[in-house]
Amino acid sequence: MSSMVDLKGRNFLTMKNYTSEEITYLLDLAEELKAKKQKGITGNSLKGKNIALIFEKPSTRTRCAFTVAAADEGAMPVYLSGGEIQLGHKESIEDTSRVLGRMFDGIEFRGFKHRSVEILAETSGVPVWNGLTDDYHPTQVLADLMTIREQFGYLQGVKIVYLGDGRNNMANSLMIGCAKMGLHFTNITPKELMPKPELLALCQEYASESCATIDVTDDVNAVAGADVIYTDVWASMGEEAKSAERIKLLKPYQVNRELMAKTGNSKTIFLHCLPAVKGNEVTDEVFESPQSFVFDQAENRLHTIKAVMVATLGER
Ligand code: CP
Ligand code: NVA
């Protein structure tokens, strides 16, 4: 079925306007590209394409994944740091966007306001990919779903429990991805950090179509039966000033040995989008345990980001 999917020319800003069939297509393509990479075969599906990588915030994985993925498929990536271009400072985002659209074939954007990546998509005339905004981190969730599928062989019905800042970009995007793909998603977070009711309602709608379930609670006992325990930093990029306050608020939500044991499931795996602040959201012990698949997850950023670029811009 997924061979009928055509994503050419599409943006990837969130998974909200992607169907489960389209997401499966991206995951299948990522798997194919991973196997190819492991055999040392590079491709040319992006040959002759020039790709702008805009980063208002720092990055290791996302930047490297876009850069290496582009090179592996024959494209030329150009890194543009937010501080060094005019975007929204000396020039409106719309104007920079129209200039970049005349020179580049695709644009990746990581930054603060989600509206900025939407403006790029609306005005550049080329595919735009969200490499993280304050609200969403969809390419990360593709890699997370790929990693879960590798470990369990399927996605439908897997129980994933996220603990920590329940209204950050990761919590939001995981909730969307799980709702679309039929996973059971539980967000364990204090009352102060619960997701926006509108997003929750939207995800409940997706869930009713995919047989997913979505739960939000402040009770850590809800980890019972989890197949996957997921966490993220307690203070996201741009929120560093809230660090001390968050440590106080989120201490009971730390992923440690006792919490992993509370799942009652010896096969539970641990995931984290990274970078991790060990001793805060996760202990070193869990991070380094055989249950932790965080480096497979990080590697899968490369294959999934490559799949997004090949599907939306490449010649297949
Ligand atoms: N997970 C992730 O997006 O990592 P970077 O911030 O290093 O890109
Ligand atoms: N929530 C984190 C994710 C980092 C990949 C942040 O925005 O900093």
Side-chain angles (χ1 to χ4, degrees):
M1 278 305 279
S2 47
S3 58
M4 304 294 287
V5 171
D6 181 5
L7 299 176
K8 200 73 186 284
R10 291 271 296 274
N11 300 305
F12 191 70
L13 305 189
T14 77
M15 286 188 195
K16 286 180 193 171
N17 55 352
Y18 274 69
T19 64
S20 65
E21 194 191 11
E22 289 168 342
I23 296 166
T24 301
Y25 172 84
L26 289 171
L27 295 173
D28 291 347
L29 177 57
E31 208 176 272
E32 193 186 301
L33 292 166
K34 182 171 183 173
K36 205 167 119 183
K37 174 90 177 171
Q38 282 170 343
K39 289 192 197 119
I41 307 167
T42 49
N44 55 9
S45 70
L46 297 171
K47 191 158 186 274
K49 308 286 188 197
N50 296 300
I51 290 167
L53 305 178
I54 306 174
F55 282 85
E56 286 182 343
K57 291 177 177 173
S59 167
T60 300
R61 281 143 288 268
T62 309
R63 176 182 178 176
C64 296
F66 271 99
T67 307
V68 174
D72 280 352
E73 288 293 326
M76 185 182 74
V78 176
Y79 178 77
L80 302 166
S81 115
E84 290 165 13
I85 57 169
Q86 315 280 23
L87 194 81
H89 306 294
K90 277 182 83 177
E91 187 174 54
S92 69
I93 299 176
E94 288 84 346
D95 289 357
T96 304
S97 174
R98 286 179 290 177
V99 172
L100 294 178
R102 298 287 180 112
M103 300 191 188
F104 289 94
D105 302 288
I107 301 173
E108 177 277 351
F109 174 84
R110 163 172 290 198
F112 295 89
K113 293 196 184 88
H114 187 70
R115 184 66 196 134
S116 302
V117 78
E118 289 177 343
I119 295 172
L120 286 168
E122 286 161 15
T123 57
S124 67
V126 298
V128 171
W129 311 298
N130 179 5
L132 179 149
T133 59
D134 287 346
D135 301 330
Y136 302 104
H137 196 7
T139 63
Q140 177 68 52
V141 173
L142 264 188
D144 302 341
L145 293 172
M146 182 179 188
T147 311
I148 294 169
R149 210 171 71 161
E150 282 174 346
Q151 291 310 317
F152 296 92
Y154 53 86
L155 292 174
Q156 188 83 36
V158 168
K159 177 169 179 175
I160 167 164
V161 178
Y162 171 91
L163 295 104
D165 177 0
R167 34 103 274 168
N168 73 7
N169 41 21
M170 277 315 311
N172 290 343
S173 283
L174 272 173
M175 181 161 70
I176 298 169
C178 292
K180 290 271 177 173
M181 300 307 287
L183 288 83
H184 299 300
F185 178 72
T186 302
N187 181 345
I188 307 185
T189 189
K191 295 210 163 53
E192 294 85 338
L193 296 173
M194 291 203 170
K196 287 203 176 103
E198 312 86 74
L199 183 64
L200 185 58
L202 185 66
C203 289
Q204 295 288 14
E205 272 177 43
Y206 302 148
S208 64
E209 280 177 33
S210 69
C211 296
T213 56
I214 311 285
D215 292 294
V216 182
T217 174
D218 59 0
D219 179 6
V220 294
N221 292 309
V223 296
D227 297 303
V228 181
I229 294 286
Y230 198 117
T231 191
D232 183 17
V233 289
W234 287 344
S236 287
M237 288 180 271
E239 296 188 320
E240 289 78 6
K242 297 205 169 97
S243 232
E245 175 193 319
R246 289 284 169 75
I247 291 172
K248 252 201 228 151
L249 189 61
L250 288 168
K251 197 79 196 165
Y253 302 84
Q254 183 189 63
V255 179
N256 50 37
R257 187 156 38 127
E258 295 70 46
L259 185 114
M260 290 300 281
K262 264 187 200 292
T263 65
N265 173 2
S266 59
K267 297 209 167 70
T268 309
I269 67 165
F270 171 72
L271 296 180
H272 190 310
C273 56
L274 308 183
V277 184
K278 289 176 234 174
N280 274 7
E281 72 272 9
V282 60
T283 56
D284 192 52
E285 189 181 22
V286 170
F287 188 91
E288 297 295 343
S289 72
Q291 287 165 283
S292 170
F293 287 85
V294 296
F295 295 108
D296 283 352
Q297 194 186 355
E299 180 194 324
N300 286 339
R301 300 297 309 287
L302 169 64
H303 311 302
T304 44
I305 280 172
K306 194 186 284 177
V308 169
M309 288 198 288
V310 168
T312 57
L313 185 61
E315 306 299 334
R316 292 213 72 211

